[in-house]
């Protein structure tokens, strides 16, 4: 079962998680970060650095509640780092867990003695072999997946939580449900690979659950755990595991390492064979388990947590060692061995031609183009190219390339647009002109830089926009100096603290409009003259037509009378 990922709604394509992941177990697909579970070592660093808190963890709290409602017994196995976050209220945790419904509450370190004794055996083994502790699941993952040749160096015993689960199953019955509660996301993955642990909750999940149920530790009665030794209670801190071993004069030198980067540096050295006759205590989290990936984000730093743990350890009862010994003897025959096998994860390797094509697509044509800036999360551009080849990364993750591409596009628009554009600073001095503006003002951008805007334009409009932050759009303005008419927009850019001036020169349009207007007036005058002339001609024609019509009438009348007279005489 896989339980962690990133929320699609919150992921902002910042690549912080990619940069933080020490093993490149995060791919970006369709501008969305995704965890590659086969490569993931479950260190939780990606979640800690995410500025949008986009982590999405599948909690098993509801399944725990389901178990608590059932007929089977449910026991809580609590990691010793609980005291680091609870401080003075540490002894009230068992009461709180029983209020949630747990039948039994046990400490995981109550059965840790057999494992530490096995570590002591390896610490006292003769020879030059180097051994690595197996407490931290993320360290085990990184060795098995990325240093598989060193898997044989891991001491072949289970983690204390797994062994405690086996003990609890034996003590309360195989059907009993064991819920481990601890500081580590890695335990979620580790626990599901072991039959002795049924479910895993982090302290962060437990804290939220207690708040949901309105359970306040300060209001509860104390019900202390069975006391363990002061030394065992410091197991969650750096050196907590090996301090007691070192005090017994082991044959091997002891190295304590915390933090993934430091762990990987030491593993690189071990791989080269430079460390010999050494026992290495490793923890993937800085400050070991008190800085675990499953700790609540309560604003308490690791130094405060360490002090809380030390105070609680000091307050433990004096006869704790005897009680621990009784528990150990009671379950001495339970197996704690484990074989750590290789889980090596290999990437497909592009040939030189394929890699060159990918690099070219990222704008890397020459060796000098390969900046190796690490902004994408990969150490080199070629490493990023291999990730692209394996569908783990996208071309546009190269920030210098995308910036250059965006700037090129912006410059093309700025230089090629027919609009007149100028950038003016808050002192109302020119900063930059585009070519159209250079042509309009009949000057160059170099010569106009730093020149007050009032030398070319009316300052009042610019001052008003800067002071009021109210932009002016499509304002018609006459520029006397250029004998021009423009339509201007004046825009205040708050983030950049500059003014953007955009204008269209409509002088020619104005002249054309005046010419067209004159032509219209001339046409009207000409039409009027033609009309007047036509009226005169019409009147003259009408007069002539009137005279000829009268004459015609007289003539026809006379002709008619003559014809009538001829008919009568006949």
């Amino acid at each position: 079962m896989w339980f962690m990922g990133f929320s699609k709604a919150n992921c902002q394509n910042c690549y912080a998680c990619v940069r933080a992941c020490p093993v490149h177990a995060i791919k970006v697909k369709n501008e969305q970060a995704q965890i590659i579970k086969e490569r993931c070592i479950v260190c939780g660093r990606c979640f800690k650095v995410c500025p949008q808190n986009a982590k999405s963890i599948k909690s098993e709290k509801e399944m725990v509640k389901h178990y608590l409602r059932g007929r089977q017994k449910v026991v809580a196995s609590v990691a010793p780092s609980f005291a680091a976050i609870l401080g003075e209220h540490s002894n009230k945790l068992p009461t709180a867990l029983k209020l949630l419904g747990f039948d039994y509450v046990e400490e995981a370190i109550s059965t840790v003695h057999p494992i530490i004794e096995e570590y002591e055996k390896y610490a006292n083994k003769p020879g030059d072999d180097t051994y690595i502790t197996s407490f931290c699941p993320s360290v085990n993952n990184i060795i098995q997946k990325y240093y598989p040749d060193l898997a044989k160096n891991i001491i072949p015993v289970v983690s204390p939580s797994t062994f405690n689960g086996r003990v609890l199953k034996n003590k309360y019955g195989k059907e009993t449900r064991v819920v481990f509660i601890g500081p580590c996301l890695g335990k979620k993955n580790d626990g599901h690979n072991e039959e002795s642990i049924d479910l895993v909750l982090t302290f962060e999940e437990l804290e939220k659950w207690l708040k949901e149920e309105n359970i306040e530790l300060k209001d509860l009665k104390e019900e202390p755990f069975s006391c363990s030794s002061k030394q065992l209670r410091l197991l969650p801190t750096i050196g907590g595991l090996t301090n007691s071993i070192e005090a017994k004069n082991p044959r091997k030198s002891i190295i304590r390492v915390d933090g993934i980067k430091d762990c990987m540096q030491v593993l690189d050295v071990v791989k080269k064979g430079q460390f010999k006759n050494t026992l290495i205590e490793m923890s993937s989290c800085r400050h070991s388990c008190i800085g675990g990936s499953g700790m609540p984000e309560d604003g308490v730093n690791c130094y405060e947590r360490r002090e809380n743990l030390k105070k609680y350890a000091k307050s433990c009862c004096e006869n704790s060692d005897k009680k621990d010994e009784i528990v150990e003897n009671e379950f001495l025959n339970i197996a704690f061995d484990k074989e750590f096998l290789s889980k090596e994860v290999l990437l497909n390797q592009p040939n030189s031609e394929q890699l060159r094509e990918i690099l070219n697509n990222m704008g890397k044509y020459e060796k000098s183009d390969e900046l190796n800036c690490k902004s994408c999360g990969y150490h080199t551009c070629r490493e990023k190219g291999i990730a692209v080849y394996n569908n783990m990364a996208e071309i546009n993750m190269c920030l210098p390339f995308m910036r250059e591409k965006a700037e090129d596009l912006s410059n093309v628009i700025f230089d090629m647009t027919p609009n007149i554009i100028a950038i003016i600073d808050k002192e109302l001095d020119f900063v930059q002109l585009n070519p159209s503006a250079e042509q309009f003002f009949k000057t160059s951008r170099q010569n106009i830089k730093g020149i007050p805007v009032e030398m070319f334009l009316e300052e009042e409009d610019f001052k008003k926009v800067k002071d009021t932050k109210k932009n002016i759009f499509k304002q018609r303005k006459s520029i006397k100096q250029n004998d021009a008419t423009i339509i201007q927009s004046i825009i205040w850019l708050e983030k950049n603290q500059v003014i953007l001036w955009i204008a269209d020169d409509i002088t020619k349009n104005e002249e054309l409009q005046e010419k067209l207007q004159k032509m219209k007036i001339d046409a009207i005058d000409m039409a009027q003259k033609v009309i007047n002339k036509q009226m005169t001609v019409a009147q003259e024609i009408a007069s002539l037509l009137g005279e000829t019509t009268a004459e015609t009438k007289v003539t026809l009348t006379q002709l008619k009378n003559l014809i009538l007279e001829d008919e009568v005489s006949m």
Side-chain angles (χ1 to χ4, degrees):
M1 184 194 79
W2 194 246
F3 58 91
M4 53 194 287
F6 295 99
S7 168
K8 291 184 179 180
N10 289 349
C11 187
Q12 297 296 315
N13 226 10
C14 67
Y15 312 135
C17 56
V18 182
R19 290 191 293 273
C21 182
V23 293
H24 303 310
I26 296 175
K27 69 178 179 180
V28 177
K29 186 175 182 181
N30 298 325
E31 301 185 344
Q32 170 70 42
Q34 300 175 8
I35 296 174
I36 308 171
K37 62 181 181 180
E38 293 80 9
R39 297 183 60 83
C40 182
I41 60 173
V42 202
C43 65
R45 290 188 63 188
C46 55
F47 286 168
K48 285 189 175 183
V49 301
C50 179
Q52 299 298 323
N53 194 29
K55 65 181 181 181
S56 175
I57 300 175
K58 184 177 181 180
S59 177
E60 295 180 306
K61 182 185 66 178
E62 295 303 319
M63 184 58 69
V64 174
K65 288 182 177 181
H66 173 72
Y67 284 164
L68 293 176
R69 290 191 295 265
R71 295 183 178 181
Q72 295 165 315
K73 298 294 183 181
V74 183
V75 54
S77 172
V78 185
S81 46
F82 71 91
I85 54 175
L86 300 183
E88 61 182 353
H89 300 303
S90 297
N91 283 330
K92 298 178 180 181
L93 180 60
T95 304
L97 291 172
K98 288 178 180 179
L99 284 175
L100 290 176
F102 286 95
D103 297 293
Y104 310 104
V105 180
E106 301 270 0
E107 279 190 283
I109 58 170
S110 64
T111 56
V112 76
H113 282 89
I115 294 176
I116 293 179
E117 288 179 358
E118 190 69 11
Y119 279 176
E120 290 174 356
K121 292 177 183 178
Y122 279 88
N124 285 292
K125 274 191 174 186
D128 291 336
D129 292 334
T130 292
Y131 296 102
I132 303 168
T133 60
S134 59
F135 265 44
C136 178
S138 294
V139 168
N140 297 339
N141 281 331
I142 198 171
I143 294 174
Q144 291 176 276
K145 292 183 178 183
Y146 299 97
Y147 297 86
D149 293 341
L150 300 182
K152 63 182 183 300
N153 296 76
I154 303 175
I155 297 175
V157 296
V158 297
S159 65
S161 58
T162 298
F163 183 66
N164 183 247
R166 293 178 182 178
V167 172
L168 294 177
K169 291 274 189 180
N170 185 73
K171 180 179 180 179
Y172 295 111
K174 292 183 179 180
E175 300 303 317
T176 301
R177 300 294 187 180
V178 175
V179 179
F180 177 74
I181 305 174
C184 179
L185 286 174
K187 288 293 185 183
K188 283 181 171 287
N189 186 56
D190 191 47
H192 281 282
N193 293 326
E194 300 289 343
E195 294 182 358
S196 62
I197 296 177
D198 296 286
L199 297 172
V200 176
L201 294 177
T202 64
F203 285 133
E204 182 179 28
E205 290 173 300
L206 176 62
E207 183 184 67
K208 291 179 180 178
W209 188 6
L210 291 173
K211 286 182 179 179
E212 290 173 6
E213 301 294 335
N214 295 316
I215 297 175
E216 294 284 348
L217 290 177
K218 64 181 182 179
D219 300 330
L220 304 180
K221 67 176 183 178
E222 291 190 354
E223 186 180 344
F225 285 103
S226 299
C227 294
S228 299
S229 69
K230 179 179 178 180
Q231 190 61 47
L232 288 181
R233 291 215 174 275
L234 295 178
L235 280 178
T237 63
I238 302 168
L241 174 59
T242 54
N243 283 337
S244 60
I245 296 176
E246 188 174 36
K248 296 179 181 179
N249 299 314
R251 295 184 181 183
K252 297 185 180 294
S253 61
I254 294 178
I255 296 176
R256 303 171 182 90
V257 192
D258 64 311
I260 278 292
K261 286 188 176 181
D262 287 353
C263 286
M264 292 178 73
Q265 289 176 359
V266 170
L267 290 172
D268 287 334
V269 174
V270 174
K271 188 176 180 179
K272 295 176 183 177
Q274 295 181 21
F275 280 149
K276 296 184 181 298
N277 192 31
T278 305
L279 174 65
I280 305 175
E281 177 186 349
M282 281 192 176
S283 175
S284 69
C285 293
R286 185 66 69 184
H287 301 285
S288 196
C289 295
I290 60 174
S293 54
M295 283 292 204
E297 297 176 2
D298 51 9
V300 179
N301 63 52
C302 290
Y303 300 99
E304 293 174 278
R305 288 174 177 169
R306 181 179 174 84
E307 288 304 305
N308 287 339
L309 199 63
K310 288 168 67 176
K311 288 178 182 178
Y312 183 66
K314 188 176 180 180
S315 70
C316 288
C317 54
E318 294 180 356
N319 62 342
S320 59
D321 287 335
K322 186 176 180 180
K323 290 185 178 181
D324 288 335
E325 185 178 352
I326 293 172
V327 172
E328 178 189 349
N329 290 334
E330 186 178 358
F331 305 106
L332 195 59
N333 295 324
I334 297 176
F336 53 78
D337 57 299
K338 179 177 180 177
E339 184 180 8
F340 291 91
L341 303 174
S342 170
K343 299 178 182 178
E344 187 173 11
V345 181
L346 297 175
L347 291 176
N348 297 320
Q349 297 296 320
N351 59 41
S352 57
E353 190 175 323
Q354 291 169 326
L355 182 57
R356 174 50 52 195
E357 182 181 355
I358 293 171
L359 291 172
N360 289 348
N361 290 335
M362 292 193 296
K364 317 297 180 186
Y365 296 96
E366 305 293 338
K367 189 69 177 177
S368 58
D369 295 329
E370 298 177 27
L371 302 179
N372 301 327
C373 66
K374 303 180 180 66
S375 60
C376 63
Y378 293 88
H379 296 98
T380 67
C381 295
R382 290 175 177 267
E383 192 176 81
K384 155 76 179 303
I386 294 172
V388 171
Y389 183 76
N390 283 272
N391 296 316
M392 292 167 52
E394 295 179 330
I395 296 293
N396 59 8
M397 287 172 61
C398 181
L399 299 187
F401 169 62
M402 293 304 292
R403 179 180 177 180
E404 182 180 350
K405 187 176 179 180
E407 288 176 348
D408 287 345
L409 182 59
S410 298
N411 290 335
V412 168
I413 294 172
F414 188 76
D415 290 340
M416 298 304 293
T417 180
N419 296 98
I420 302 165
I421 301 177
I423 298 174
I424 299 154
D425 63 23
K426 61 183 179 180
E427 305 300 329
L428 302 185
D429 295 335
F430 282 103
V431 175
Q432 192 173 3
L433 302 178
N434 76 334
S436 296
E438 288 180 309
Q439 186 177 355
F440 180 76
F441 290 121
K442 296 180 174 59
T443 185
S444 67
R445 63 184 72 183
Q446 289 80 14
N447 292 336
I448 205 172
K449 189 173 183 180
I451 300 297
V453 71
E454 62 181 345
M455 296 292 290
F456 292 88
L457 303 166
E458 290 185 16
E459 184 186 62
E460 184 180 347
D461 293 328
F462 292 88
K463 190 174 186 304
K464 182 179 179 181
V465 169
K466 187 194 78 168
D467 293 341
T468 65
K469 306 297 187 292
K470 292 183 179 180
N471 301 325
I472 293 174
F473 296 101
K474 297 184 178 180
Q475 179 189 50
R476 190 176 183 276
K477 208 76 175 177
S478 295
I479 309 297
K480 295 180 180 179
Q481 183 172 333
N482 293 62
D483 193 23
T485 303
I486 62 171
I487 299 294
Q488 68 176 9
S489 294
I490 304 174
I491 303 167
W492 172 252
L493 304 179
E494 181 66 30
K495 288 185 179 180
N496 305 92
Q497 294 288 295
V498 296
I499 294 173
L500 179 65
W501 178 68
I502 305 174
D504 290 320
D505 185 359
I506 62 170
T507 305
K508 291 183 178 180
N509 291 342
E510 291 283 307
E511 292 174 353
L512 180 60
Q513 289 296 328
E514 290 178 4
K515 188 174 181 180
L516 289 173
Q517 186 67 17
K518 187 175 182 304
M519 289 174 64
K520 289 177 182 178
I521 293 172
D522 290 345
I524 291 171
D525 290 342
M526 187 177 293
Q528 189 62 51
K529 288 178 182 180
V530 170
I531 291 170
N532 291 339
K533 189 173 182 179
Q534 287 177 338
M535 289 295 294
T536 301
V537 171
Q539 289 173 357
E540 290 177 355
I541 292 172
S543 177
L544 290 172
L545 286 173
E547 292 178 4
T548 55
T549 300
E551 290 175 357
T552 303
K553 182 179 180 182
V554 171
T555 302
L556 290 174
T557 301
Q558 290 177 350
L559 179 61
K560 176 183 176 184
N561 292 334
L562 182 60
I563 294 170
L564 290 172
E565 288 177 0
D566 287 344
E567 289 181 350
V568 172
S569 64
M570 290 178 66

